[in-house]
Each structure stands twice: as C-alpha cells, then as structure tokens.
C-alpha cells in the first residue's frame, strides 16, 4: 500500500502509525540517514538526520554495525571516525517514538532495536582499531552509546551530555551500567538518577569525553586525523592532545560540580534510593533541596532499577552489562512507566507523568528483581 494511502486510511491507530514509521525507515531516505565513507586510510561515519537531532533508528544501526565489522578486518582501514551533520547534535538519542509505538502493539521492533543497538555498543567497546567520536553538539542516550565506549571521545564547547532516561520511565542504557559507575566517586550515580546535563569542557572533566577541542578547530582536526599514516592509539592520542592544548576556551572556569563533589559522594553514598532521599532531605542545603525536587519528578520504578543497575554494573564487563540492560529494556516494554513518560515528555508534552506505582515505597524489591530476571532463550547473546 502506498504510504499516502496508508496515512489517510488509518491516521490515528497505533499499528498504522507504526507501519508508517517502518515504511519511512525502509524508504530511499535510509541511504541518507547515515553516511559511510573512506577518506584515505580512515573510515568516516556521519550521522545525517539533523532535523531530528540525528536520532538513531534501527536502519542506521543495521548500516553502521556490519560496516564497522568490515572495516575492522580491512587492511586498508586504520581508524574509524564518527561524527554528525547539522552542527547542533551528535545524536540526541534513540528513535524512542518508534520503539514506543512498537511496544504498544507487540511489534518486534521493541526487541530488535534494543538488541541490535546493544550489539553495536559492544562492537564499539571491543573495537581493535582507533575509534574517534567527535561529539560536537547534543549527545544523549543512543548518542552516548555510539561514542562513550570508543577509545577516543572529543567534546567541544557545543557538547551537551545527559542520560535523562529516569524522566521517561526508562534507565540509562547503552552500557550506562558500565561507564557511569566507573566515573569518579558517586558522580555517575548522580548523573544517572537526576539526568544532570554536562556542557562543553565539563564533559571531559567528568571523564565522559577523553579530550576537549574547540568547535572551530574540528575541521582541521578531522583533516589531520585522516592524514595520519597507519595510526596507532598513541599516534591518535598525541594528535588529540596537541589540539586540546591549543583549545583554551573556558579553561579558567572550574568544573560545574566542583563545589558539590564531596556533597554528591556523601549524599548519594547510600545503599538505596530511599536512603539517598533521606540524606538529601536531612542535609537541607539549596543543592540538596534541588535534587529532592528533581528526583520527585522521576519514575520511582526507574530510580530503583537504575540504582541497582549501576550497583551491579560496577563489577561487570561491558558485555555482561549489556545482557543485563537488554533484560531491563524488555521489562520496560512490558511495564507502564516508559509509555507514560514518553507521552508526558515527548508526545503531549504536559510534563505531568502519572507514574505507576507513584512512590518509591510502592516499588517492591520483588518487582525490581523481576526486571533483572533472565529472559531464557530471548536473552541477548553475542
């Protein structure tokens, strides 16, 4: 059926909305959503959906992953660079709306998207050649998964990093359970629970990016990277460090959370989310009051799942974390809060989600246990 007929025939039905999304994904536009090119001995991936902030969809994943594998075994390819078109976003996240519609009607996209995205995240994390992510712009959710597990992550003053998933009834996935607890102190847990946004040089200071380079220097950096002959990790590192040395923008400003670092470690150092909230309320500082206000808006289920995810992930390999997170993703697909969060934040935009259950004390340990339970034959396998 032509897409125009499909649209007019069933404009409001979830299944038809999903069919329209899938028809678009399979259209000729797919070729332009991500560009895969060779430049000398470097391979270049360009996210190319600037109108939707380069949101990652399944067709993009299915183009990037096999090509990454080919380049990894290609003797003519020494390095991979991933960047984005448009100047505003590297990748603002996954194509959540499509996944939401799929989950509502039981379409396989709700499994396929997470499974294949996480397999791509693992491929990046275990890549044998230098992998350079130029995160010049908004980098959230799926964009974090495309960058943070790679050897080199270059932030600019335009970089905006966040993992805001607890606000939509999800959890910081794409390997968040691996890299967040490995940030210093309780910073990763703080970022995961609150969705706090890091900007510019602070993305590197937090340890999310490995380097900071001013945006205006990025074209020259790309040119120099492409010009490297048979570069090793150390060659790439030296080049990035030389560009970082030339970038003094905001170097005199302290890390945005500097004055709160010890507070975060102390207040978020509890053995439960309830304990963290008790600490914050007892502290009474303006910073603590602000965090109580923020956490009170998040999905109670997401907060408890995220806390346990990071607790467990701190001692796991990336591969094991991704297996765990796939189980969590499917628990979210079976539940209520993810659909309600997407409705409130992304669709109706009333910013008034009705979480179920509505409070932390109603989210039982048994329910959280079930979210982490094996899916048997449906588990993610590498």
């Amino acid at each position: 059926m032509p897409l125009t007929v499909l649209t007019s025939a069933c404009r409001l039905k979830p299944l038809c909305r999903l069919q329209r999304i899938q028809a678009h994904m399979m259209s000729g536009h797919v070729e332009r959503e991500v560009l895969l090119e060779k430049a000398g001995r470097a391979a270049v991936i360009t996210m190319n959906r600037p109108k939707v902030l380069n949101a990652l969809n399944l067709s993009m994943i299915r183009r990037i992953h096999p090509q990454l594998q080919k380049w990894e075994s290609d003797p003519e390819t020494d390095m991979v660079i991933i960047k984005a078109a448009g100047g505003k976003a590297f990748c603002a996240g996954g194509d959540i709306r499509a996944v939401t519609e799929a989950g509502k009607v039981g379409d396989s996209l709700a499994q396929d998207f997470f499974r294949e995205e996480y397999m791509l995240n693992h491929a990046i994390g275990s890549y044998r050649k230098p992998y350079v992510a130029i995160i010049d712009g908004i980098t959230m959710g799926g964009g974090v998964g495309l960058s943070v597990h790679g050897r080199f992550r270059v932030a600019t003053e335009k970089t905006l990093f966040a993992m805001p998933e607890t606000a939509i009834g999800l959890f910081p996935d794409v390997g968040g359970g691996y890299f967040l607890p490995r940030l210093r102190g309780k910073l990763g847990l703080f970022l995961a629970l609150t969705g706090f946004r890091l900007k510019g040089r602070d993305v590197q200071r937090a340890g999310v990016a490995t380097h900071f380079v001013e945006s205006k220097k990025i074209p020259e950096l790309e040119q120099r990277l492409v010009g490297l002959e048979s570069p090793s990790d150390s060659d790439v590192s030296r080049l990035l460090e030389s560009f970082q040395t030339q970038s003094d923008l905001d170097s005199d400003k302290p890390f945005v959370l500097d004055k709160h670092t010890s507070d975060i470690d102390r207040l978020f150092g509890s053995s439960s989310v309830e304990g963290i909230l008790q600490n914050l309320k007892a502290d009474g500082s303006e910073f603590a009051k602000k965090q109580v206000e923020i956490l009170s808006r998040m999905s109670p289920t997401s907060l408890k799942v995220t806390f346990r995810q990071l607790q467990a992930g701190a001692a796991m390999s990336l591969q094991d974390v991704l297996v765990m997170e796939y189980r969590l993703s499917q628990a979210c697909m079976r539940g209520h809060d993810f659909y309600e969060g997407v409705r409130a934040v992304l669709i109706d935009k009333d910013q008034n989600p009705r979480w179920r259950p509505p409070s932390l004390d109603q989210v039982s340990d048994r329910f959280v246990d079930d979210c982490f339970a094996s899916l048997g034959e449906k588990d993610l396998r590498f």
Side-chain angles (χ1 to χ4, degrees):
M1 182 184 290
L3 186 58
T4 51
V5 176
L6 186 63
T7 303
S8 59
C10 48
R11 188 175 301 276
L12 296 176
K13 296 178 183 177
L15 179 58
C16 293
R17 284 203 299 271
L18 178 64
Q19 288 171 330
R20 290 206 307 279
I21 290 165
Q22 290 174 329
H24 172 72
M25 286 170 61
M26 298 307 292
S27 72
H29 293 291
V30 170
E31 286 301 310
R32 295 191 293 273
E33 290 178 340
V34 58
L35 308 177
L36 305 170
E37 305 163 293
K38 282 293 298 289
R41 296 185 66 85
V44 183
I45 303 167
T46 306
M47 311 291 285
N48 194 35
R49 301 180 75 203
K51 290 182 180 177
V52 290
L53 303 178
N54 295 313
L56 182 67
N57 63 28
L58 186 57
S59 64
M60 295 164 75
I61 293 167
R62 287 178 172 174
R63 293 201 71 217
I64 294 170
H65 193 178
Q67 190 60 60
L68 266 183
Q69 292 172 314
K70 288 177 185 174
W71 283 330
E72 191 169 27
S73 59
D74 176 19
E76 302 296 314
T77 302
D78 293 326
M79 170 178 53
V80 173
I81 300 168
I82 185 166
K83 59 178 187 171
K88 190 172 182 181
F90 169 71
C91 172
D95 203 342
I96 289 296
R97 287 196 185 206
V99 174
T100 305
E101 296 298 344
K104 285 178 182 176
V105 298
D107 186 271
S108 65
L109 179 65
Q111 294 91 47
D112 297 344
F113 179 83
F114 290 106
R115 178 183 287 111
E116 296 184 39
E117 182 183 27
Y118 295 175
M119 291 178 78
L120 173 57
N121 299 152
H122 180 259
I124 292 168
S126 57
Y127 212 64
R128 296 193 302 270
K129 294 179 178 179
Y131 182 96
V132 184
I134 299 176
I135 52 174
D136 185 27
I138 301 167
T139 304
M140 298 184 185
V144 176
L146 289 172
S147 56
V148 77
H149 304 299
R151 174 67 181 84
F152 303 103
R153 293 92 66 190
V154 182
T156 76
E157 72 276 10
K158 295 196 293 183
T159 304
L160 174 62
F161 163 90
M163 295 296 275
E165 288 81 5
T166 57
I168 58 166
L170 202 58
F171 61 95
D173 66 334
V174 296
Y178 180 80
F179 83 88
L180 286 166
R182 285 165 173 79
L183 300 181
R184 65 177 180 268
K186 295 296 178 180
L187 177 60
L189 181 62
F190 169 76
L191 296 174
L193 295 178
T194 66
F196 186 87
R197 296 182 170 197
L198 293 170
K199 299 175 183 177
R201 194 179 284 272
D202 286 338
V203 180
Q204 188 228 355
R205 286 170 169 156
V208 175
T210 57
H211 296 81
F212 175 84
V213 176
E214 289 173 28
S215 189
K216 66 183 180 183
K217 299 180 187 294
I218 292 297
E220 184 189 351
L221 172 61
E222 290 177 16
Q223 201 171 32
R224 293 280 301 278
L225 283 168
V226 167
L228 289 173
E229 291 185 20
S230 300
S232 63
D233 278 349
S234 58
D235 294 331
V236 175
S237 184
R238 276 194 296 271
L239 180 60
L240 293 176
E241 284 166 13
S242 73
F243 272 80
Q244 179 171 275
T245 302
Q246 300 165 35
S247 301
D248 56 6
L249 182 68
D250 295 334
S251 60
D252 56 334
K253 293 181 181 178
F255 178 47
V256 67
L257 292 170
D258 251 0
K259 60 184 178 182
H260 301 301
T261 298
S262 60
D263 293 329
I264 289 170
D265 289 348
R266 176 173 53 86
L267 298 170
F268 283 75
S270 177
S271 59
S272 68
V273 180
E274 292 92 335
I276 291 171
L277 277 165
Q278 286 172 4
N279 290 345
L280 290 167
K281 289 172 182 175
D283 184 76
S285 65
E286 285 306 309
F287 174 76
K289 287 177 184 175
K290 179 68 174 174
Q291 306 322 309
V292 171
E293 179 192 335
I294 290 168
L295 292 174
S296 70
R297 297 197 298 266
M298 304 307 187
S299 158
T301 299
S302 289
L303 291 176
K304 283 203 167 183
V305 165
T306 297
F307 183 88
R308 189 180 297 187
Q309 170 204 2
L310 266 64
Q311 214 174 22
M316 289 181 170
S317 67
L318 175 59
Q319 180 171 311
D320 288 343
V321 164
L322 291 167
V323 171
M324 171 180 71
E325 291 181 358
Y326 182 72
R327 294 171 181 173
L328 297 178
S329 77
Q330 297 312 294
C332 290
M333 294 301 100
R334 297 191 301 268
H336 165 272
D337 280 8
F338 172 61
Y339 302 103
E340 174 61 10
V342 170
R343 179 205 64 74
V345 175
L346 300 177
I347 298 175
D348 296 342
K349 299 183 180 178
D350 59 25
Q351 310 302 321
N352 186 32
R354 295 171 179 83
W355 305 123
R356 202 163 68 212
S359 62
L360 283 169
D361 61 347
Q362 292 176 285
V363 183
S364 70
D365 289 343
R366 182 175 178 179
F367 177 83
V368 177
D369 290 343
D370 287 345
C371 293
F372 286 80
S374 170
L375 299 172
E377 292 183 356
K378 293 183 179 179
D379 259 340
L380 175 63
R381 287 182 170 80
F382 293 92

